[in-house]
Amino acid sequence: MRLPQSSRSPISIHVIPLTFWLTISLLTPLCAHAKTQQLQWSETRLRFGAVIVGQSETQLVTLTNTGQTTVTISAITVNDSEFSISGAANGVALTAGQSLDLNVTFAPSASGYSSGNITVTSNASNSSLQLTIAGNGVSKEVLQASP
């Protein structure tokens, strides 16, 4: 005895790759045109080594306008009191391609690890740009030379 066969046809093997290809091709343009940041740091993060409490270490970092228009910086802030920044004032305008050198100083007041962010607020396409900073305050020299 023969069983009746289903009247439904199985999904064609070609339909699944075609559907996948169409989905990917429609979504790719949405991801491919990601904007580059108009303001960029010269470093991805600043790390200070071990700095003796009561002393300080300064590092240079550069902020660059990589866009085609002038950017006005409205604020540059540091969220940890162990760090300070100099070399810029609020209201500074960076024309297209112009850079600004900033000095970041780590002056630990106590032993221990400190970290924070420098935040630049501006009218750039990336209106809030952060740079991670970190350092370690130590009570005495980690390594001492002796004769």
Side-chain angles (χ1 to χ4, degrees), residues 109-143:
S109 59
S111 295
Y113 180 78
S114 296
S115 67
N117 293 305
I118 298 172
T119 303
V120 176
T121 306
S122 70
N123 65 342
S125 60
N126 54 327
S127 60
S128 181
L129 178 65
Q130 290 192 338
L131 177 68
T132 302
I133 50 180
N136 193 24
V138 294
S139 59
K140 61 180 182 174
E141 291 282 343
V142 176
L143 179 65

Side-chain angles (χ1 to χ4, degrees), residues 42-130:
S42 58
E43 305 291 330
T44 56
R45 67 181 64 98
L46 281 184
R47 293 190 187 268
F48 294 85
V51 177
I52 297 173
V53 173
Q55 295 184 8
S56 65
E57 182 181 327
T58 300
Q59 291 187 28
L60 179 72
V61 66
T62 303
L63 182 65
T64 303
N65 176 359
T66 62
Q68 302 298 316
T69 60
T70 298
V71 171
T72 301
I73 297 170
S74 55
I76 300 177
T77 58
V78 182
N79 67 353
D80 187 317
S81 62
E82 303 288 307
F83 299 91
S84 62
I85 191 161
S86 61
N90 295 342
V92 170
L94 293 177
T95 59
Q98 187 178 9
S99 295
L100 177 65
D101 290 333
L102 302 169
N103 290 309
V104 180
T105 302
F106 175 52
S109 59
S111 295
Y113 180 78
S114 296
S115 67
N117 293 305
I118 298 172
T119 303
V120 176
T121 306
S122 70
N123 65 342
S125 60
N126 54 327
S127 60
S128 181
L129 178 65
Q130 290 192 338

Side-chain angles (χ1 to χ4, degrees), residues 26-47:
L26 291 174
L27 292 178
T28 300
L30 298 175
C31 302
H33 299 292
K35 287 186 176 182
T36 58
Q37 294 184 336
Q38 187 173 5
L39 280 180
Q40 292 184 355
W41 291 110
S42 58
E43 305 291 330
T44 56
R45 67 181 64 98
L46 281 184
R47 293 190 187 268

Side-chain angles (χ1 to χ4, degrees), residues 16-34:
I16 294 173
L18 180 62
T19 304
F20 178 75
W21 182 83
L22 286 173
T23 303
I24 295 300
S25 65
L26 291 174
L27 292 178
T28 300
L30 298 175
C31 302
H33 299 292

